[in-house]
Amino acid sequence: MSDDEYQFDSFDDGSSRLVGEQQNEKMHTFLAEYGQQLRDLEETLHESLSDAWDADMDPVSLDARPYEQTNVLELLNTENKVFNKVILVFAALCKEAESLCDIAKDKFYGPFLCFGQDGKGQEEGDSQLRIGEMLPFLMDMLNYVNRVYSVIKNMVQQLASLYHAQQQLYVKSFKGVHLNTVFHQLSELLTVLITLDEIIAQNAEFKLAWSMYKRMAHTVKGDAERYATDEARMLQFEKLLLQLEGQLLDGLIYQNAISQEFDFPGVIEARRNDVFNKEFMLNIKAIWSRMTAKSGDLNEIYQRRSFIGLCALYVFYFILFNQPSDKKFFKQVWDMHKVIPVIHLAGNVVWFSSDFLRKKVPYMVKAAVGQQATVKEFQKNYVKELDKTFERECAAMYKQLTTWMVRMESNLTNRANMRNILNTRISLLITGLKMACTIGDMFKQYVYMHSYLQMKIKPARIRALCQCAEMLKAIQSTFHRRSAMIGESIAYMIQQISFYLQRAFFPIKVKLQSTTSYSEQRLDLLAAANLAMQMLNGCATPARRLLLRLSMHILFQMSNIKDDQIEDIKNQVRRLDLICSLQRSVDEACDCSFFYWSRPMVPYYFRDVFENPQQAQKLHYMFAALRDVVPLFKTTYMEEALTESYKKDVDGALQDNIITPLCDAIETDLRYHIHSHLEVSVRDPFKNGVQDLAALINIKPLRFFDRTIDLKAHIEHYLDKTFYNLTTVALYDWKTYAEMRNLAQEKFGLTLQEVHLPGQTLEQGVDVLEIMRNIHIFTAVYNYNLNNQIFIQRSSESKFLNTVNIGHISNSLRSHGGGIMNTAVNFTYQFLRRKFVIFSQFLYDDHIKSRLYKDIRFFRESKDELDSRYPFDRAVKFNREIRKLGVTGEGLTYLDQFRKLITEIGNAMGYIRMIRSGGLFFTSNSSKFVPDLAKIPKFSELATNASLAPETIEACTNLDAVLDNLSKNFAEGTDYFKMLVAVFAPQFRNEQNLHLKNFYIIVPAATLNFVEHMLICKDKMKNKKGQQFTEGVFSDDGFAIGLAYILKLLDQNTNFDSLHWFEAVTNRYAEEEEKLRDKLGNAKKGVKVEETQTALLTMKKLAAYRQEFELLRFSFSGARIFFKD
């Protein structure tokens, strides 16, 4: 039956729909969770709030400043020609003054501020060179100051010409016009001159260097011929120096500017111009009223700098018009030092209004204030109060800042409309700028007031001071992070403010156009209204805003414009200025270049960060603050020296206060964990606290100048080096350090390198480095076996003797590399030099030398009778005579000590031989995987022919180099014996060392002494089985090698062979044995048993002597092979 027959009626019970809905719900949940994960991942990978902005790392930056390719002359196109001329003059002067202010900041502040900061001191010669390098700069500055004088004079004369009772333009149109912008720009220019005066006056090192340079010039003038010049040129040069000093360096730049002659008889009258006098004072009071509205408040922006300009203008007023001012107003200005006690100018230079006024207008101080010496007392009380409140104020600013940063991060989409969003954003931007100015002033006021009064800053306040620098860079970082939002909105913000101003000016313009009678004043007002509207219609460039402000001054003389409306328009224009120059204003307000002169705080700050690792992320802000001085360095002629000195200071502070303590702390922590079973100490986290070291390890690399500081990499390198060195010293601890590496990975995320040293093995033996460092001990306590190439310990406190063989040397080379071979040879060379000095002194001794000459003369005279063989009895007699000279406390004769000296020299040569053999053994083991060293193919050529990847070809080239090196090392090898012969032979064969020529004649006695010594040592071994080994020796081939080496150095092999010594020894023992055998063979029955036993013992003794001499002869013959040419 087919399946089609089994059909049921369709029935829907709703289960399919329920399953579908359930699946849809799961899908929605999955998508929501996945989307949240993606957002979290994006936020994690995005710049966090703790990342400081580094402009060097930004490949592209956004410049949102308004810009257009036009100038003031093109913008000023009203139909009123007279109005155009007046506005054009003052606009051009204002732009020129603004440009001069920028030039001073960018070019002339830096060299004076940084002079003497390169750490070289005021040494004779260096100071003169630095001043000599600055002379072109000083000439440029002189030209600049003269240009400023010209602009100031022009501005004053133009104002004096306009504001004059007989000037028709003033009478008809400008009687109610107050050009506050021009006076403000004049005050800015005077502020620059005051700043230059203070910078030079407060740099004591520059003054000292300048005096040294003048003294040098005077010296050269007195002896001009010696310095290839003439007195006339030096006189001219001295005049130039005097001119520079008088105009620039005597602190009279500002004074000379305001003391110029501004009157031009018959044309310009400034000093006796009552109208100009009143206008000048009116503008001073206008600046005062605008400044005092905010001064001393936490929300001030630039009011402190405005106060410098106000004082500069006020003093200028006194000097220009030469008449006292209102005492009440002067008292108000004087009392501002209680609100603004100190003002920061640039770098580490500050300005005090009380000192300035007391110096420039002492008569007004006396008249209005009296001889009150309360300023210093007030300043001290102010600083004491500041000490109490500073940390609290910093904490309050920190809370405000965090709130502002959170608001800046929001997108403000909950606002009702775009206008509200833009207004809120404008307020936020201005609030951030105000906070930056306030925080910067807090730091500068606290530091420089303490410095001026020479009061110590408590270490507890350094944390709060450094927090100010962190907050400044956090503000700058927030502006940078939100640059996309700012760039997107700034055009709309400018447009909104411009639209608000247009709405304010439009009714004024309409009213002026509706009049039927046009006077000259009315026409000027209408031209100003048209100009203001035109400036607001375009891009808000600096030129447009300048013309807008000038036109506003003319419009505000209208009586129908209320004061509230005027103040509102001015506030909007100020907002427009701030928004248009936002980036520059933020950079200036957040500039921490002043921190360069407070760098002694840096070590304390770093130490605090180490003790509080939760603050580690703020290190980025601090390093951003430390980098702010770089643009200042670039304006100097000694940028490289300043940079290197600064980097050295900061790197040293970081190394000493964070990196080194952090490395030690992590190593200690790992050791505590690994050795916790030993209960080395009690670690109570409730008493001692726990440092979160991981917070320091995991911060992103710090950027400082041209290098990146990675704390994690520093720690990994330190632990790698420490673990490797300690494992090398104690290989049995390899497992402990392996566990510490694993723990460092698990606990701190540190990826450490494997040590790659062999574990403890039975074949490791004594390390070659230990032998090399203590070769003088090694050659004295070890004996060498020539045939097996092994060193055996002479004596031991245990029942075992240590040995050193080729395998041990090979293991050491595998651990330390082949480079130690040459080092070992060098150590041996130094050891041999010291031993040969003793060797020469022994042979030079009169007792030894006289006996050697006697033996030589005897042998030469009796050579034929002795059959050219050195007599055995003569060697025995030499030993006896040497013993008569005395013995040491250990019972050793001088010949015993000489024999030991030769043995140590031979042991050193045996050590060299073993080093070379160990190197060849190591090389052969390394090359055992190469099938045929004689036929090694070129893998690079094979890879090239096969058209493999460039990386593969490079790898094959490296392999070819390794194989070539192995093949060369295996086939060759340095003959160190020949090298050591070539080094010492010339000195040994020198005529100055003729006493060494007698050496060959002492060899027979020395060999006899050696044989007796060996027999005694072997007897000790037989008699003290199972006991401690004390001079128990069964092999000592170092003596044979030493003899062969010295004979080669002295070129006395032929002389020694002429003695036929070993033949004489063989014949002597053969004769003695023959006599004893004859005695025993011909013995009669009456011979006593004791005599027979004595004869047998004597036979045995002779056999032992003969055998030992034979062994010595074989070893000596083998050793001589090493030194054959």
Side-chain angles (χ1 to χ4, degrees):
M1 187 178 289
S2 65
D3 294 337
D4 295 337
E5 296 181 9
Y6 291 95
Q7 295 287 339
F8 296 95
D9 294 337
S10 59
F11 175 74
D12 184 8
D13 58 357
S15 59
S16 299
R17 181 173 55 81
L18 290 173
V19 171
E21 291 177 354
Q22 187 177 7
Q23 291 298 324
N24 285 333
E25 185 66 26
K26 287 182 179 180
M27 188 63 180
H28 282 300
T29 304
F30 167 76
L31 290 175
E33 292 177 353
Y34 185 64
Q36 184 62 41
Q37 290 177 1
L38 290 178
R39 285 190 292 274
D40 293 343
L41 184 62
E42 182 181 7
E43 184 177 351
T44 302
L45 295 177
H46 194 264
E47 288 185 285
S48 67
L49 293 177
S50 298
D51 293 331
W53 167 40
D54 185 359
D56 296 334
M57 303 298 289
D58 270 350
V60 178
S61 61
L62 179 64
D63 187 0
R65 289 178 298 177
Y67 174 79
E68 64 179 348
Q69 290 185 340
T70 185
N71 54 43
V72 174
L73 189 60
E74 294 174 352
L75 292 173
L76 193 60
N77 56 1
T78 65
E79 297 178 357
N80 191 330
K81 293 183 180 180
V82 175
F83 172 84
N84 288 352
K85 289 180 180 180
V86 174
I87 297 298
L88 179 61
V89 166
F90 288 111
L93 286 172
C94 289
K95 282 186 66 65
E96 178 70 10
E98 185 178 2
S99 174
L100 289 171
C101 291
D102 293 338
I103 290 173
K105 296 173 186 176
D106 297 339
K107 183 176 181 180
F108 295 111
Y109 288 179
F112 284 112
L113 288 170
C114 297
F115 188 90
Q117 297 293 326
D118 53 357
K120 293 182 179 180
Q122 292 288 359
E123 296 183 3
E124 191 70 34
D126 289 341
S127 299
Q128 290 88 333
L129 282 173
R130 282 185 282 184
I131 293 294
E133 291 172 349
M134 283 190 71
L135 283 180
F137 163 78
L138 292 174
M139 293 300 300
D140 288 344
M141 184 175 171
L142 181 62
N143 295 332
Y144 167 80
V145 169
N146 289 331
R147 175 63 181 166
V148 173
Y149 289 171
S150 300
V151 172
I152 292 174
K153 187 174 183 179
N154 196 346
M155 291 179 80
V156 172
Q157 290 179 340
Q158 293 290 351
L159 289 168
S161 299
L162 178 63
Y163 291 103
H164 196 281
Q166 298 179 3
Q167 174 61 255
Q168 293 300 314
L169 190 61
Y170 166 75
V171 174
K172 295 179 179 178
S173 301
F174 281 82
K175 203 166 190 176
V177 176
H178 309 296
L179 298 174
N180 302 123
T181 300
V182 181
F183 280 92
H184 170 74
Q185 205 60 56
L186 177 61
S187 71
E188 287 289 311
L189 208 50
L190 293 174
T191 301
V192 168
L193 299 184
I194 291 175
T195 304
L196 288 172
D197 274 337
E198 293 296 329
I199 290 174
I200 296 171
Q202 295 185 29
N203 193 327
E205 294 200 10
F206 178 81
K207 292 180 179 178
L208 178 60
W210 179 258
S211 64
M212 294 169 70
Y213 188 81
K214 286 198 304 179
R215 187 169 64 248
M216 181 196 72
H218 185 71
T219 303
V220 173
K221 176 189 171 186
D223 192 4
E225 294 182 0
R226 180 182 176 186
Y227 298 99
T229 184
D230 55 71
E231 189 174 350
R233 293 180 64 188
M234 288 307 302
L235 184 62
Q236 186 178 3
F237 183 67
E238 277 194 335
K239 289 181 179 179
L240 174 63
L241 295 181
L242 291 174
Q243 181 185 4
L244 290 173
E245 185 173 10
Q247 294 192 29
L248 302 180
L249 310 181
D250 284 342
L252 299 175
I253 300 177
Y254 166 75
Q255 190 66 37
N256 293 337
I258 62 176
S259 300
Q260 297 181 88
E261 182 56 54
F262 296 100
D263 289 346
F264 194 92
V267 180
I268 299 172
E269 187 179 15
R271 297 187 184 276
R272 294 183 177 84
N273 188 339
D274 293 336
V275 175
F276 182 45
N277 185 329
K278 293 177 183 178
E279 184 65 25
F280 207 117
M281 178 54 66
L282 190 145
N283 278 276
I284 291 175
K285 291 185 176 180
I287 296 174
W288 168 261
S289 60
R290 185 171 70 248
M291 185 192 71
T292 51
K294 293 290 184 181
S295 289
D297 196 321
L298 290 176
N299 296 323
E300 65 177 354
I301 298 181
Y302 305 134
Q303 276 77 10
R304 291 173 180 267
R305 192 165 185 85
S306 298
F307 184 49
I308 306 176
L310 171 75
C311 292
L313 280 177
Y314 202 12
V315 172
F316 189 15
Y317 173 84
F318 289 121
I319 300 299
L320 181 62
F321 299 107
N322 194 22
Q323 64 180 28
S325 173
D326 181 8
K327 294 181 181 180
K328 182 179 179 181
F329 179 65
F330 185 86
K331 183 70 165 58
Q332 291 177 344
V333 174
W334 171 265
D335 287 341
M336 274 300 290
H337 79 270
K338 298 178 181 179
V339 182
I340 308 177
V342 62
I343 298 177
H344 175 257
L345 296 177
N348 63 333
V349 179
V350 292
W351 181 83
F352 295 89
S353 61
S354 55
D355 294 346
F356 178 78
L357 293 174
R358 188 183 285 116
K359 180 180 178 181
K360 299 298 182 183
V361 283
Y363 55 90
M364 281 302 300
V365 176
K366 183 177 180 180
V369 184
Q371 296 296 336
Q372 300 180 13
T374 58
V375 176
K376 189 73 72 174
E377 184 180 347
F378 167 79
Q379 290 173 340
K380 290 182 179 179
N381 294 331
Y382 186 88
V383 171
K384 290 178 182 177
E385 188 64 27
L386 199 61
D387 275 328
K388 297 177 183 178
T389 62
F390 184 72
E391 288 184 305
R392 186 166 63 249
E393 290 178 0
C394 283
M397 286 304 303
Y398 187 79
K399 291 180 181 178
Q400 292 183 35
L401 175 62
T402 51
T403 304
W404 175 79
M405 290 175 70
V406 171
R407 293 191 65 197
M408 280 290 290
E409 294 295 330
S410 64
N411 54 15
L412 306 175
T413 53
N414 58 342
R415 297 295 186 271
N417 53 45
M418 190 63 183
R419 178 180 296 177
N420 292 337
I421 292 176
L422 290 176
N423 285 330
T424 304
R425 287 180 176 174
I426 292 172
S427 299
L428 280 174
L429 297 179
I430 295 176
T431 301
L433 188 57
K434 288 179 179 179
M435 282 195 296
C437 293
T438 303
I439 293 168
D441 290 338
M442 285 170 56
F443 178 96
K444 298 166 190 173
Q445 184 170 273
Y446 188 90
V447 171
Y448 294 120
M449 283 299 292
H450 279 77
S451 175
Y452 176 70
L453 298 173
Q454 297 182 350
M455 299 174 67
K456 293 183 179 179
I457 297 177
K458 297 178 181 179
R461 302 287 186 274
I462 292 178
R463 171 66 256 177
L465 287 169
C466 293
Q467 190 179 42
C468 290
E470 294 171 354
M471 288 191 287
L472 287 175
K473 303 318 290 183
I475 292 172
Q476 191 174 19
S477 174
T478 303
F479 273 104
H480 171 71
R481 191 166 48 254
R482 300 297 290 164
S483 58
M485 180 273 289
I486 295 171
E488 177 186 3
S489 305
I490 199 165
Y492 296 112
M493 296 177 189
I494 295 172
Q495 186 177 1
Q496 180 166 312
I497 297 173
S498 299
F499 178 70
Y500 182 90
L501 291 171
Q502 283 177 332
R503 283 193 354 184
F505 286 129
F506 186 73
I508 300 172
K509 179 183 176 181
V510 170
K511 188 172 183 179
L512 289 171
Q513 288 176 338
S514 63
T515 185
T516 54
S517 60
Y518 287 99
S519 63
E520 291 187 15
Q521 182 183 17
R522 208 75 172 173
L523 291 173
D524 289 342
L525 288 171
L526 182 59
N530 287 327
L531 180 62
M533 294 295 289
Q534 290 175 12
M535 296 303 101
L536 291 170
N537 277 331
C539 180
T541 59
R544 284 181 178 271
R545 299 199 306 274
L546 174 60
L547 293 174
L548 172 64
R549 288 194 297 272
L550 292 174
S551 60
M552 283 166 45
H553 297 324
I554 297 173
L555 284 175
F556 289 161
Q557 67 177 312
M558 292 178 64
S559 58
N560 59 345
I561 303 179
K562 297 179 181 180
D563 292 341
D564 293 342
Q565 186 179 3
I566 291 175
E567 194 60 34
D568 185 45
I569 292 173
K570 287 182 178 179
N571 288 333
Q572 290 297 328
V573 172
R574 291 192 196 104
R575 294 180 78 191
L576 181 63
D577 286 335
L578 282 175
I579 295 299
C580 291
S581 60
L582 180 67
Q583 189 58 55
R584 178 175 177 176
S585 301
V586 169
D587 291 343
E588 289 179 354
C590 298
D591 179 30
C592 292
S593 59
F594 57 83
F595 204 85
Y596 171 72
W597 286 270
S598 302
R599 58 188 182 278
M601 296 183 190
V602 173
Y604 294 94
Y605 171 79
F606 286 157
R607 197 175 307 145
D608 181 77
V609 170
F610 173 72
E611 293 170 357
N612 302 279
Q614 66 273 15
Q615 305 287 336
Q617 294 297 333
K618 297 180 180 179
L619 276 172
H620 290 280
Y621 290 139
M622 178 51 66
F623 274 91
L626 293 173
R627 286 197 304 270
D628 279 350
V629 77
V630 175
L632 199 64
F633 286 167
K634 291 182 178 179
T635 63
T636 69
Y637 62 92
M638 46 188 174
E639 176 188 356
E640 186 175 348
L642 288 167
T643 303
E644 289 303 317
S645 175
Y646 188 38
K647 284 167 62 177
K648 184 179 179 181
D649 290 345
V650 176
D651 288 346
L654 182 68
Q655 187 72 36
D656 294 341
N657 296 283
I658 290 186
I659 295 178
T660 300
L662 182 59
C663 292
D664 294 340
I666 290 175
E667 183 184 1
T668 303
D669 185 78
L670 294 174
R671 291 187 184 279
Y672 273 129
H673 276 81
I674 293 299
H675 299 101
S676 57
H677 61 284
L678 300 177
E679 298 183 358
V680 290
S681 66
V682 178
R683 304 179 71 196
D684 190 345
F686 296 101
K687 291 182 178 179
N688 305 324
V690 178
Q691 279 186 302
D692 183 17
L693 300 177
L696 280 167
I697 298 171
N698 295 325
I699 65 172
K700 291 184 178 181
L702 305 168
R703 181 78 176 176
F704 188 58
F705 284 96
D706 56 347
R707 61 188 289 252
T708 301
I709 304 171
D710 190 347
L711 295 183
K712 186 175 182 180
H714 274 85
I715 298 165
E716 290 174 346
H717 174 69
Y718 169 80
L719 293 178
D720 280 333
K721 182 178 70 173
T722 303
F723 291 171
Y724 178 85
N725 291 338
L726 294 176
T727 306
T728 303
V729 172
L731 286 170
Y732 49 81
D733 279 340
W734 67 271
K735 187 176 181 181
T736 300
Y737 293 114
E739 291 175 354
M740 289 174 70
R741 279 195 300 275
N742 294 333
L743 183 61
Q745 172 67 43
E746 292 297 325
K747 187 174 182 181
F748 300 112
L750 298 172
T751 304
L752 305 182
Q753 300 296 321
E754 290 292 334
V755 174
H756 296 298
L757 288 175
Q760 182 70 14
T761 65
L762 294 176
E763 288 297 319
Q764 196 66 26
V766 182
D767 190 76
V768 70
L769 289 179
E770 289 299 317
I771 298 174
M772 181 175 66
R773 295 190 187 106
N774 303 291
I775 190 170
H776 58 290
I777 300 174
F778 176 76
T779 55
V781 300
Y782 277 79
N783 292 326
Y784 183 58
N785 184 280
L786 182 66
N787 297 319
N788 294 324
Q789 286 209 65
I790 185 172
F791 277 95
I792 305 144
Q793 192 176 7
R794 183 172 296 168
S795 61
S796 174
E797 295 179 357
S798 65
K799 297 181 180 180
F800 305 98
L801 295 176
N802 291 325
T803 62
V804 180
N805 57 32
I806 294 175
H808 299 145
I809 302 297
S810 177
N811 286 338
S812 295
L813 292 175
R814 181 175 61 183
S815 301
H816 305 294
I820 63 170
M821 294 176 65
N822 293 329
T823 308
V825 174
N826 186 40
F827 269 80
T828 307
Y829 164 73
Q830 300 295 336
F831 168 76
L832 289 174
R833 283 185 59 189
R834 294 192 295 270
K835 291 299 178 183
F836 281 139
V837 171
I838 302 172
F839 174 82
S840 175
Q841 291 172 350
F842 178 81
L843 292 179
Y844 195 74
D845 185 82
D846 290 338
H847 297 287
I848 304 299
K849 189 161 54 173
S850 62
R851 283 169 173 77
L852 294 181
Y853 278 131
K854 188 189 297 183
D855 283 355
I856 292 173
R857 186 168 59 253
F858 167 77
F859 181 71
R860 287 176 179 172
E861 293 174 354
S862 308
K863 189 173 184 181
D864 295 335
E865 298 175 8
L866 297 173
D867 194 18
S868 298
R869 291 175 183 170
Y870 187 81
F872 186 85
D873 293 335
R874 197 79 181 177
V876 174
K877 182 181 178 182
F878 189 91
N879 269 284
R880 290 198 196 104
E881 290 179 351
I882 293 296
R883 180 172 289 275
K884 292 178 184 178
L885 296 176
V887 295
T888 65
E890 299 174 355
L892 298 176
T893 66
Y894 289 112
L895 194 58
D896 289 332
Q897 296 182 67
F898 187 61
R899 181 251 311 156
K900 289 183 69 175
L901 176 66
I902 296 173
T903 302
E904 290 179 12
I905 292 172
N907 284 344
M909 299 302 292
Y911 172 64
I912 293 298
R913 181 188 177 210
M914 185 177 288
I915 286 285
R916 183 172 184 270
S917 301
L920 292 173
F921 183 68
F922 170 68
T923 305
S924 65
N925 283 338
S926 301
S927 59
K928 62 185 178 182
F929 298 105
V930 181
D932 188 357
L933 284 171
K935 297 180 180 179
I936 301 176
K938 291 292 183 182
F939 289 95
S940 57
E941 295 179 1
L942 296 175
T944 303
N945 295 335
S947 301
L948 297 179
E951 292 81 4
T952 307
I953 296 174
E954 184 179 358
C956 291
T957 304
N958 294 336
L959 177 60
D960 288 338
V962 172
L963 293 175
D964 288 343
N965 188 39
L966 282 176
S967 177
K968 181 180 179 182
N969 291 339
F970 186 79
E972 300 176 2
T974 306
D975 192 343
Y976 295 116
F977 279 9
K978 289 184 179 180
M979 184 188 302
L980 290 172
V981 169
V983 168
F984 288 109
Q987 281 296 112
F988 270 67
R989 300 171 189 177
N990 196 316
E991 293 182 357
Q992 296 179 355
N993 297 318
L994 288 175
H995 61 282
L996 300 180
K997 299 295 183 181
N998 305 330
F999 172 73
Y1000 74 95
I1001 204 68
I1002 203 176
V1003 173
T1007 56
L1008 185 59
N1009 182 283
F1010 172 77
V1011 168
E1012 292 176 352
H1013 162 71
M1014 287 299 299
L1015 289 173
I1016 293 171
C1017 290
K1018 289 181 178 179
D1019 286 341
K1020 286 181 180 180
M1021 291 186 65
K1022 294 177 183 178
N1023 296 332
K1024 295 191 177 183
K1025 293 182 178 179
Q1027 300 180 18
Q1028 292 182 352
F1029 293 106
T1030 57
E1031 294 294 331
V1033 175
F1034 61 88
S1035 177
D1036 195 1
D1037 294 334
F1039 178 76
I1041 296 180
L1043 279 181
Y1045 178 47
I1046 295 172
L1047 287 171
K1048 178 63 177 178
L1049 291 177
L1050 293 168
D1051 196 19
Q1052 290 185 346
N1053 281 313
T1054 305
N1055 293 339
F1056 176 70
D1057 290 340
S1058 68
L1059 299 179
H1060 298 91
W1061 167 242
F1062 287 108
E1063 295 177 13
V1065 171
T1066 303
N1067 290 339
R1068 174 59 181 267
Y1069 286 132
E1071 291 174 0
E1072 291 289 335
E1073 289 176 356
E1074 187 64 32
K1075 288 179 183 179
L1076 286 173
R1077 277 195 295 269
D1078 290 344
K1079 186 176 180 180
L1080 291 173
N1082 299 326
K1084 298 180 180 180
K1085 295 181 180 180
V1087 177
K1088 297 180 180 180
V1089 178
E1090 291 82 0
E1091 294 180 0
T1092 304
Q1093 290 178 348
T1094 302
L1096 289 173
L1097 289 174
T1098 305
M1099 283 283 292
K1100 187 176 181 181
K1101 182 179 179 181
L1102 289 173
Y1105 269 92
R1106 186 174 63 177
Q1107 182 182 10
E1108 202 60 46
F1109 262 109
E1110 287 295 318
L1111 290 174
L1112 175 59
R1113 189 181 71 170
F1114 294 148
S1115 298
F1116 179 67
S1117 300
R1120 291 177 71 174
I1121 296 173
F1122 298 144
F1123 301 101
K1124 280 190 174 182
D1125 294 332

